[in-house]
Amino acid sequence: MSSRFLPTEDHRSHFPCTLQCLVDAVLISENSWSSYGCRLLALHDTWLERCLSFNFREQTIYSSVEVLETSQKIGRELQNAPHYCQSFASCCNTVNDLGGDIKGGGKSSAAADKVVEEIRAKGGKAVANYDSVEDGEKLIQTALDAFGKIVFFFFFFYCVFNFIPDLIHRVHLRGAFMVTRAAWNHMKNQKFGRIIMTASTAGIYGNFGQANYSAAKLGLYGLANTLAIEGRKYNIHCNTIAPTAGSRLTQSVMPPDLVESMKPEYVAPLVLWLCHEQCKENGGLFEVGGGWIGKLRWERSQGHIVRHKNQRMTPEAVRDHWDNICDFTDAAKPVSIQEGLQMVVEVLSKVDSEGGVSGNPTASAASASVEAVGQKLPPTSFSFSHTQCIIYALGVGMSTKDPDHLRFLYEGHEDFSCLPTFGVIPSQAAMMDGGLASVPGLNIDFTRVLHGEQYLELYKPLPTSGMSSFAVAAHTRKQAQIISVNTYSGDELVCYNQWSVFVVGAGGFGGKRTSDRAKALVPPPNRAPDAVVTDSTTRDQAALYRLSGDWNPLHIDPSFAAMGGFKAPILHGLCSFGFAARHVLKQYANNDPSRFKAIKVRFVKPVLPGQSLQTEMWKEGNRIHIQCKVKETDAVVLSGAYVDLHGAAEGGGLQSELVFAEIGRRIKDLGSELVKKVNAVFGWEITKNGKTAAQWTIDLKSGTGSLHKGPYSGKADVTFTVSDEDFMEVVQGKLNPQKAFFAGKLKVRGNIMMSQKLEVILKDYAKL
């Protein structure tokens, strides 16, 4: 058997508290489970605090408890409980006591020395320390010099004298901080540690006449919460207890029978379990006393939004909705700052969706300069082949179990295609490979970025291989940075992405509250969904999806996920995005990627790999409203979302045929007049799914003019190439032809100036 130690802490000299002696009991079994159960003799008041027996692995049991009693009683109590003292035979202990009297006066080494003598007499190892916890490094060094290792802390301060507030905070809060800081690196290096803070119900609920004590005790809980987050990566867990126990200090205010029934030994087993390696609890808060243990958590009402578009937020609005604000029906139970922020993000979107909402005059100053607005970067390149298309399809849940999925998984399939949502992958690569970080004025901490919303629009079906280039532009609004990415295949614009990101704690980006460039979210219709599709993710879903290029360790490394406040690695939001999109594609487009036009979503809550995604769909024309939930918890993970589809051409024809038919009738009526004004031949190439689907010739140079389907026998003065979908967008006035040209949607060959004369025949019909 080998033994280690651990330190504990005390109070300042002249501090009006009872004497405190701290005893550490540590039992370590080399490389195996110990058959020797450690019975921790937890010294509290008259040595009444004793715990249950546990078996511990090497370097796993670490316990220290303070003694709220004068050391003269220790010898008698050891005699009364010999079997509990067996643990000291092979344990290392640190005893800390300033040696003051019950009122905090005086100073002596006798108290700590007496305890050390008693422990050694029973065969244990012990060393005395007489420093204050404010001198945490000295306390830690004493332990290191004697035993060489630090594995567990139990901080316990109990004070009933509250008339020196500064000292109370220095001992209870600063003392705990100083000792922890001194031991922290040792715990990190050994990849193990357990810390237990002792708060108080006075800190949790408040107590009359104990303002300073209550503030210090609740401060310990806040300290413990942050230590739990920062330590999880290094297997350092930190929990907090708020014990109720009878002692010499409470016997004057509690009846004797109550003091007896609230023995400190009814608290110690909880402490022992929390420091066991099998206990995975971290960041917990527990009330304990009399043999009862209960865990506490935060609860938050759904609240009520009390500001609206173009209106000031007023105290009257708060008053009028006070009942709603305080209604805990269907209350949320946030457990991290991320979950807390999600509600704020949702509210901002709901308010913004109402239309131009004025910013709150008390909003924080911008943390990112408006210099970033409108910035563009040189194009970057992204190469991919059918392999990347297939890996992505597998990453968003496609499987050979479904025959319809084979066209996205087998490069030899006659209709082999790339999933439309693969369009986010090249875009993400353009931003993450240094592009976004180099945007002038975009000074943000990327470790604190939350992906809030995503919009993707396809101008043509994605190729299954090739080289694409990108231009990145940044736009800003108060709560979010909007990053626009255009994706090209050669010179042709393929798709457009809009990323909305939020930075935790940044306050604001200094722009307008809303942006005319931001694609708005749209709530679903107020009725039952028209269709629901449920799909299970696998435990390895995130591990598979990350192969498409999102290497964020948040989705694979448990330690990194813990730093972000998550109990386990979470699924990529864009993976859920891909699941939902393909559900719509199958339900309403027969898995035809050429029907896919655009998708917009908001990311609400994380998904854990292995959970099931349930997509609810409402069809409104060519727009499919969607809401995605985790089936097991009913938690909404994608909201305000929709997928826009291209309409299916009747009979397999092209929508543009109707327009050319109308042009033919116009030429028949006014042909001679048009020939005199125009004197040119126009060729049209209409594409579908990236391939030429139809050709038209408008001859306004010879005779009385004519229109025929097919290429011109000679050389046309100017030839236009445009997809059937974009042609209709232009005809309907939804797409400006100049913008279409500069965006690569409308290509022109020949005498481009001749295109201006085309307006003569298309005026009032096709607006070109």
Side-chain angles (χ1 to χ4, degrees):
M1 307 289 283
S2 66
S3 61
R4 306 293 160 92
F5 100 107
L6 64 92
T8 51
E9 50 187 16
D10 66 345
H11 59 280
R12 296 282 300 182
S13 62
H14 306 299
F15 182 67
C17 287
T18 58
L19 302 179
Q20 301 185 37
C21 298
L22 300 110
V23 179
D24 307 76
V26 181
L27 175 65
I28 300 177
S29 172
E30 297 288 354
N31 302 316
S32 64
W33 286 97
S34 172
S35 59
Y36 184 162
C38 174
R39 296 179 175 85
L40 169 64
L41 176 57
L43 304 181
H44 185 292
D45 196 22
T46 58
W47 293 87
L48 294 176
E49 190 172 359
R50 299 179 176 93
C51 15
L52 299 173
S53 297
F54 278 94
N55 291 326
F56 291 88
R57 187 184 292 273
E58 180 181 12
Q59 299 181 358
T60 61
I61 173 168
Y62 326 99
S63 306
S64 68
V65 187
E66 296 88 335
V67 184
L68 296 181
E69 185 52 80
T70 57
S71 59
Q72 285 76 7
K73 293 186 178 180
I74 293 175
R76 185 187 74 238
E77 296 299 333
L78 286 172
Q79 295 295 328
N80 293 338
H83 70 285
Y84 282 102
C85 301
Q86 295 176 8
S87 60
F88 290 93
S90 58
C91 294
C92 302
N93 306 275
T94 299
V95 180
N96 176 279
D97 198 316
L98 289 179
D101 58 30
I102 190 170
K103 294 184 179 179
K107 183 174 182 180
S108 171
S109 65
D113 291 341
K114 180 65 174 177
V115 178
V116 170
E117 291 174 7
E118 296 288 351
I119 294 173
R120 289 175 176 173
K122 296 296 180 181
K125 299 178 182 180
V127 62
N129 178 272
Y130 320 109
D131 294 303
S132 166
V133 287
E134 283 198 275
D135 300 318
E137 291 186 1
K138 294 180 180 179
L139 196 157
I140 295 299
Q141 194 59 50
T142 298
L144 289 172
D145 291 342
F147 306 112
K149 194 175 183 68
I150 301 165
V151 285
F152 170 76
F153 286 101
F154 178 32
F155 296 113
F156 184 86
F157 299 100
Y158 185 27
C159 179
V160 295
F161 300 94
N162 298 303
F163 48 80
I164 309 181
D166 181 57
L167 287 178
I168 288 176
H169 281 260
R170 285 161 57 187
V171 174
H172 288 270
L173 186 53
R174 177 176 165 78
F177 171 79
M178 296 300 292
V179 176
T180 304
R181 185 173 69 173
W184 191 256
N185 285 336
H186 300 287
M187 288 183 167
K188 283 176 60 177
N189 292 337
Q190 69 194 20
K191 299 294 184 183
F192 193 96
R194 295 292 185 265
I195 302 172
I196 299 177
M197 300 287 185
T198 302
S200 168
T201 52
I204 298 172
Y205 305 112
N207 193 30
F208 183 84
Q210 289 190 301
N212 48 5
Y213 178 72
S214 298
K217 284 301 189 182
L218 191 57
L220 283 171
Y221 178 50
L223 172 63
N225 282 341
T226 296
L227 292 176
I229 294 171
E230 295 182 355
R232 189 179 285 117
K233 179 179 180 180
Y234 307 101
N235 196 24
I236 302 173
H237 293 177
C238 187
N239 292 284
T240 306
I241 66 170
T244 300
S247 71
R248 185 167 57 87
L249 290 177
T250 59
Q251 65 184 10
S252 62
V253 295
M254 286 185 179
D257 56 341
L258 183 57
V259 173
E260 177 65 19
S261 63
M262 300 294 288
K263 293 179 180 180
E265 66 187 74
Y266 299 146
V267 175
L270 170 62
V271 176
L272 191 58
W273 167 242
L274 289 175
C275 68
H276 196 287
E277 73 168 4
Q278 285 188 343
C279 180
K280 303 304 181 182
E281 187 68 36
N282 191 25
L285 172 62
F286 300 87
E287 283 189 68
V288 54
W292 169 86
I293 302 170
K295 185 175 182 179
L296 286 81
R297 67 183 179 192
W298 290 104
E299 189 174 67
R300 183 181 63 193
S301 71
Q302 291 294 326
H304 191 84
I305 301 174
V306 293
R307 71 181 182 96
H308 302 282
K309 66 176 182 179
N310 301 322
Q311 297 179 15
R312 296 181 59 187
M313 182 175 171
T314 66
E316 289 80 9
V318 177
R319 175 200 62 198
D320 295 342
H321 296 285
W322 191 248
D323 289 344
N324 301 107
I325 293 170
C326 300
D327 183 1
F328 278 86
T329 303
D330 298 325
K333 302 173 181 64
V335 296
S336 67
I337 192 171
Q338 289 81 8
E339 290 190 21
L341 181 65
Q342 284 169 358
M343 173 61 75
V344 178
V345 173
E346 282 191 49
V347 169
L348 292 174
S349 177
K350 289 179 181 178
V351 174
D352 287 349
S353 66
E354 296 179 356
V357 179
S358 300
N360 191 321
T362 61
S364 302
S367 62
S369 172
V370 293
E371 180 187 355
V373 179
Q375 292 287 347
K376 294 185 178 181
L377 297 177
T380 60
S381 62
F382 176 84
S383 300
F384 68 97
S385 67
H386 64 271
T387 302
Q388 282 72 38
C389 297
I390 294 171
I391 290 174
Y392 175 80
L394 292 169
V396 296
M398 288 208 141
S399 168
T400 55
K401 294 178 181 179
D402 190 330
D404 291 343
H405 292 180
L406 201 59
R407 68 178 297 177
F408 301 103
L409 298 174
Y410 175 42
E411 71 281 4
H413 193 280
E414 59 181 357
D415 293 320
F416 179 60
S417 304
C418 183
L419 276 173
T421 48
F422 180 79
V424 301
I425 300 301
S427 168
Q428 186 175 39
M431 293 196 305
M432 295 299 102
D433 292 347
L436 191 57
S438 61
V439 175
L442 192 58
N443 302 316
I444 58 178
D445 180 358
F446 288 94
T447 64
R448 304 175 69 190
V449 170
L450 295 178
H451 189 182
E453 299 172 10
Q454 183 72 27
Y455 176 77
L456 167 67
E457 182 173 356
L458 268 60
Y459 302 121
K460 61 175 297 183
L462 298 176
T464 56
S465 64
M467 175 80 73
S468 300
S469 59
F470 314 91
V472 180
H475 310 286
T476 187
R477 62 180 181 182
K478 278 285 183 183
Q479 274 71 34
Q481 194 76 18
I482 300 172
I483 314 299
S484 301
V485 183
N486 288 323
T487 304
Y488 297 85
S489 179
D491 295 328
E492 187 173 10
L493 181 63
V494 175
C495 65
Y496 165 79
N497 275 273
Q498 187 179 93
W499 303 69
S500 297
V501 297
F502 298 81
V503 181
V504 178
F509 285 104
K512 297 179 181 180
R513 174 70 63 178
T514 58
S515 170
D516 54 2
R517 298 174 185 255
K519 297 294 182 179
L521 297 160
V522 182
N526 187 22
R527 67 171 192 269
D530 300 323
V532 178
V533 174
T534 302
D535 229 336
S536 296
T537 66
T538 69
R539 285 289 301 273
D540 296 320
Q541 201 71 58
L544 183 57
Y545 182 84
R546 68 192 301 269
L547 298 180
S548 290
D550 190 338
W551 304 106
N552 190 338
L554 174 67
H555 307 291
I556 191 72
D557 185 349
S559 297
F560 195 91
M563 292 178 65
F566 300 103
K567 294 183 178 180
I570 61 174
L571 194 63
H572 305 70
L574 285 176
C575 183
S576 302
F577 170 91
F579 266 79
R582 66 175 183 78
H583 289 166
V584 174
L585 197 66
K586 180 175 182 178
Q587 183 71 29
Y588 290 106
N590 196 30
N591 274 336
D592 180 0
S594 68
R595 295 279 312 279
F596 189 95
K597 180 181 179 183
I599 179 173
K600 170 72 176 184
V601 307
R602 154 171 289 159
F603 303 103
V604 181
K605 288 188 176 181
V607 178
L608 295 177
Q611 292 181 323
S612 300
L613 288 171
Q614 179 175 290
T615 304
E616 300 172 341
M617 294 168 269
W618 295 261
K619 189 176 188 304
E620 297 277 319
N622 287 332
R623 171 162 290 181
I624 313 300
H625 298 271
I626 60 175
Q627 178 173 267
C628 198
K629 297 180 178 179
V630 173
K631 182 180 180 181
E632 291 81 358
T633 65
D634 203 40
V636 175
V637 296
L638 301 178
S639 69
Y642 60 84
V643 173
D644 285 338
L645 299 174
H646 292 296
E650 295 183 8
L654 301 173
Q655 299 177 74
S656 56
E657 292 181 350
L658 298 176
V659 178
F660 282 103
E662 178 61 29
I663 292 174
R665 285 191 290 269
R666 185 171 176 81
I667 293 175
K668 185 177 181 179
D669 294 338
L670 304 170
S672 299
E673 181 180 346
L674 292 174
V675 168
K676 292 179 182 179
K677 291 181 179 181
V678 178
N679 192 31
V681 177
F682 302 93
W684 286 89
E685 295 176 353
I686 305 299
T687 65
K688 186 75 172 179
N689 298 334
K691 299 179 181 179
T692 301
Q695 291 180 291
W696 296 87
T697 299
I698 301 175
D699 183 358
L700 296 178
K701 181 178 282 189
S702 58
T704 57
S706 64
L707 168 75
H708 72 269
K709 191 172 184 178
Y712 187 53
S713 57
K715 182 178 180 180
D717 293 288
V718 59
T719 300
F720 302 91
T721 302
V722 65
S723 71
D724 186 61
E725 295 84 356
D726 289 333
F727 181 86
M728 295 305 299
E729 291 279 295
V730 172
V731 167
Q732 296 169 20
K734 296 180 180 179
L735 178 62
N736 182 285
Q738 290 183 346
K739 290 184 178 180
F741 174 78
F742 287 112
K745 296 182 178 182
L746 176 63
K747 295 181 179 180
V748 182
R749 301 194 307 271
N751 187 351
I752 192 171
M753 299 304 295
M754 284 286 186
S755 62
Q756 299 179 13
K757 294 186 176 183
L758 195 60
E759 183 180 2
V760 174
I761 63 168
L762 299 177
K763 185 178 181 181
D764 299 328
Y765 291 91
K767 297 186 179 180
L768 275 171

